[in-house]
């Protein structure tokens, strides 16, 4: 029986261990985690979700404070259309986060940034352009376009000197989404360098409706592979979502996948950004405590632990400080839900908002515990300690287990 190490991901003439750690916002896939993947010869992702906040935490900058100071007068106003990002500061924060990560890179692997279109930031096109251009300026090895169709994203960076040499990839959950993307980007005379095919068992937002159970990753990968073959397009395919063991990965690699993208196993790595008490919740989770719901204001279903403190919490929208989900008109569906509850419950100190969540604040505070479907198996990947808690793992241990394990086995830490 083969193991992942019997395969290599080829980007042109360059070879990598075919393991990509997926982007996990907000700073769950930290620089430290991505750097480990690169050091071990694979691909790591950081994320540019809420990059001003992430930069403040990492480098003691004051991007969030500055924005809040500028718009403080608007905090109680339900109209958030005035709350805009300073594009210069956004570029600076992105360059800091990515540039410092690239400086620290060791080993033969690569560092990519996960860039979500759904972070519309009250000026979708302008902010996305700045985020992508600043990422290229900062020397990132590649950009993975996520959470959206990204039909215009390539054209936003077409004039950048690194447009043709940086790796550019896209995450899709259907053949149709890929066809639309390729039809649009063909105008820039540039194909994606890789396509991540994300199935319905992934963590974070899902590219499916609430009927996600009707889909399966292997079928979607096979459809996309057949279409690429018929079109004579040779683009590496990277399945993601529910690939829990090295042997799960081998099954895809033997069927022609170029690599796999994985994330859930790394949520319990020491280098991961989740606080340790939250990691213990991931370890403890049982299958019936993992739900897909519609509380994300992005409109995509999202998978999370049903115990997440964010669920039902009715905090005041914090768009003056954050505001990453404000659409082109300065609206966010959480604001609508919050105001409805505020009107219905005058004088109530702590509101409960059930249908939507303030995703920015909740993700920033690690109160929304998004996770992959197989999170309930994490307890089987480590030791239970005498005090009842579970032993947190090193990213290297998890990476090596994916790379070298056979026969559906999972190696426990030493
Ligand atoms: C905690 C967590 C956060 C995630 N956040 C993002 C994200 O911000 N952007 C994104 O494109 N995918 C996100 N994902 C999806 C992963 O990058 C990855 O494609 C997927 O989870 C792989 O499946 P697995 O978790 O079953 O290994 C997230 C996944 C997890 C577990």
């Amino acid at each position: 029986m083969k193991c992942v190490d019997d395969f290599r991901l080829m980007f042109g003439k360059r070879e990598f261990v075919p393991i990509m750690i997926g982007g996990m916002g907000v700073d769950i896939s930290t620089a430290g985690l991505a750097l480990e993947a690169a050091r071990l010869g694979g691909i790591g992702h950081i994320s540019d979700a809420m990059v001003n906040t992430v930069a403040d935490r990492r480098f003691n900058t004051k991007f969030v404070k500055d924005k809040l100071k500028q718009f403080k007068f608007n905090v109680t106003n339900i109209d958030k259309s005035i709350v805009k990002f300073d594009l210069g500061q956004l570029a600076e924060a992105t360059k800091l986060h990515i540039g410092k990560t690239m400086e620290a890179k060791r080993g033969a692997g690569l560092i990519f940034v996960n860039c979500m279109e759904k972070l519309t930031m009250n000026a979708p096109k302008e902010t996305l352009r700045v985020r992508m251009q600043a990422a290229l300026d900062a020397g990132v090895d590649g950009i993975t376009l996520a959470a959206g169709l990204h039909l215009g994203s390539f054209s936003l960076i077409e004039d950048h000197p690194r447009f043709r040499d940086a790796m550019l990839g896209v995450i899709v959950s259907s053949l149709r989404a890929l066809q639309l993307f390729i039809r649009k980007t063909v105008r820039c005379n540039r194909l994606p360098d890789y396509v991540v095919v994300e199935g319905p068992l992934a963590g974070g937002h899902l590219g499916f409706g609430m009927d996600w159970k009707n889909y399966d990753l292997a079928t979607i990968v096979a459809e996309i592979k057949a279409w690429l073959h018929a079109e004579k397009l040779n683009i590496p395919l990277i399945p993601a979502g529910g690939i829990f063991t090295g042997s799960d990965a081998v099954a895809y690699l033997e069927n022609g996948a170029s690599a796999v993208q994985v994330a859930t196993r790394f949520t319990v790595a020491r280098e991961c950004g989740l606080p340790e008490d939250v990691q213990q919740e991931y370890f403890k989770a049982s299958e019936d405590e993992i739900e897909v719901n519609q509380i994300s204001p992005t409109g995509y279903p999202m998978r999370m632990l049903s115990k997440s403190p964010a669920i039902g919490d009715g905090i005041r929208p914090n768009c003056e400080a954050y505001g990453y989900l404000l659409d082109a008109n300065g609206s966010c569906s959480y604001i609508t839900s919050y105001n409805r509850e505020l009107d219905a419950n005058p004088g109530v100190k702590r509101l409960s908002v059930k249908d939507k969540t303030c995703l920015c604040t909740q993700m920033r505070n690690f109160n929304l515990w998004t996770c992959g479907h197989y999170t309930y198996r994490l307890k089987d990947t480590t030791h239970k300690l005498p005090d009842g808690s579970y032993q947190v793992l090193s990213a290297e241990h998890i990476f090596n287990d994916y790379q070298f394990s056979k026969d559906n086995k999972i190696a426990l830490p030493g």
Side-chain angles (χ1 to χ4, degrees):
M1 181 155 191
K2 290 192 166 173
C3 67
V4 167
D5 194 49
D6 294 322
F7 300 83
R8 282 297 174 265
L9 163 64
M10 303 299 298
F11 281 148
K13 290 202 172 66
R14 295 182 296 169
E15 279 192 12
F16 302 94
V17 177
I19 299 170
M20 196 182 244
I21 304 183
M24 296 180 268
V26 170
D27 209 27
I28 297 177
S29 55
T30 57
L33 182 61
L35 285 164
E36 277 298 272
R39 184 179 67 81
L40 297 164
I43 319 281
H45 273 93
I46 50 176
S47 158
D48 80 345
M50 298 186 74
V51 70
N52 289 9
T53 317
V54 174
D56 284 352
R57 262 202 207 132
R58 267 187 91 186
F59 309 110
N60 237 348
T61 45
K62 301 272 180 297
F63 296 115
V64 175
K65 218 171 161 188
D66 284 356
K67 183 166 181 256
L68 181 57
K69 205 154 110 199
Q70 188 185 354
F71 295 109
K72 202 156 182 129
F73 66 90
N74 200 61
V75 165
T76 53
N77 190 353
I78 58 170
D79 180 356
K80 305 292 183 194
S81 54
I82 202 170
V83 183
K84 296 274 185 187
F85 279 84
D86 177 311
L87 296 180
Q89 289 215 336
L90 179 61
E92 206 184 315
T94 308
K95 280 187 209 166
L96 259 177
H97 181 42
I98 298 178
K100 291 284 179 205
T101 309
M102 297 314 293
E103 273 173 33
K105 193 179 103 169
R106 304 281 175 275
L110 299 175
I111 304 272
F112 291 177
V113 61
N114 180 281
C115 196
M116 293 189 277
E117 189 175 39
K118 270 286 174 188
L119 301 184
T120 40
M121 300 170 74
N122 201 1
K125 225 171 149 174
E126 294 79 358
T127 51
L128 187 60
R129 180 188 287 120
V130 166
R131 289 158 59 196
M132 293 173 74
Q133 291 197 339
L136 294 174
D137 288 342
V140 79
D141 291 316
I143 302 178
T144 302
L145 303 173
L149 283 175
H150 283 285
L151 300 184
S153 298
F154 271 15
S155 64
L156 296 176
I157 47 169
E158 211 177 353
D159 297 329
H160 196 282
R162 296 194 59 221
F163 179 59
R164 290 185 195 278
D165 71 70
M167 303 292 295
L168 300 179
V170 64
I171 302 183
V172 297
S173 294
S174 68
L175 172 59
R176 175 109 187 94
L178 180 63
Q179 287 170 330
L180 286 171
F181 178 80
I182 289 187
R183 206 167 293 151
K184 264 289 200 205
T185 51
V186 100
R187 287 186 206 150
C188 301
N189 198 17
R190 180 161 187 346
L191 285 167
D193 298 297
Y194 57 97
V195 173
V196 176
V197 184
E198 201 178 72
L201 302 184
H205 290 96
L206 302 184
F208 301 86
M210 289 303 281
D211 61 346
W212 57 271
K213 280 191 185 141
N214 300 338
Y215 297 87
D216 109 279
L217 176 60
T219 309
I220 305 166
V221 173
E223 273 171 18
I224 292 183
K225 199 176 138 220
W227 181 75
L228 288 176
H229 184 74
E231 296 289 317
K232 299 194 170 43
L233 294 171
N234 187 15
I235 307 174
L237 282 188
I238 305 178
I243 300 171
F244 200 76
T245 66
S247 303
D248 294 342
V250 165
Y252 284 102
L253 296 169
E254 283 188 321
N255 272 319
S258 295
V260 293
Q261 174 163 292
V262 289
T264 293
R265 290 274 310 267
F266 289 92
T267 57
V268 289
R270 206 174 300 126
E271 294 83 351
C272 161
L274 290 173
E276 199 178 328
D277 56 333
V278 178
Q279 290 182 313
Q280 292 299 326
E281 298 292 339
Y282 279 54
F283 274 128
K284 280 192 281 181
S286 58
E287 188 171 357
D288 60 357
E289 288 172 334
I290 295 160
E291 65 176 48
V292 176
N293 63 37
Q294 294 180 287
I295 67 170
S296 167
T298 61
Y300 289 109
M302 195 173 187
R303 179 171 280 116
M304 62 190 77
L305 297 187
S306 56
K307 280 187 184 162
S308 304
I311 299 176
D313 187 28
I315 46 167
R316 189 169 71 187
N318 207 357
C319 312
E320 285 69 23
Y322 306 135
Y324 290 83
L325 293 178
L326 294 174
D327 66 15
N329 306 312
S331 312
C332 167
S333 59
Y334 179 69
I335 303 175
T336 314
S337 296
Y338 174 83
N339 287 325
R340 183 198 61 221
E341 293 305 321
L342 196 63
D343 287 347
N345 301 283
V348 172
K349 267 218 171 110
R350 192 82 199 193
L351 286 178
S352 176
V353 177
K354 295 217 160 44
D355 55 329
K356 290 292 164 200
T357 188
C358 184
L359 196 64
C360 293
T361 312
Q362 302 292 359
M363 287 300 295
R364 187 240 172 237
N365 293 338
F366 300 111
N367 280 331
L368 192 150
W369 300 336
T370 184
C371 64
H373 176 77
Y374 287 127
T375 298
Y376 63 90
R377 292 172 64 189
L378 287 173
K379 58 177 80 59
D380 304 329
T381 68
T382 193
H383 300 291
K384 196 169 184 181
L385 302 172
D387 68 355
S389 69
Y390 292 87
Q391 182 183 340
V392 169
L393 305 165
S394 72
E396 180 173 14
H397 168 81
I398 303 165
F399 192 97
N400 284 337
D401 185 47
Y402 268 117
Q403 188 174 353
F404 298 109
S405 73
K406 291 184 179 177
D407 300 320
N408 289 303
K409 289 199 181 107
I410 293 175
L412 297 181

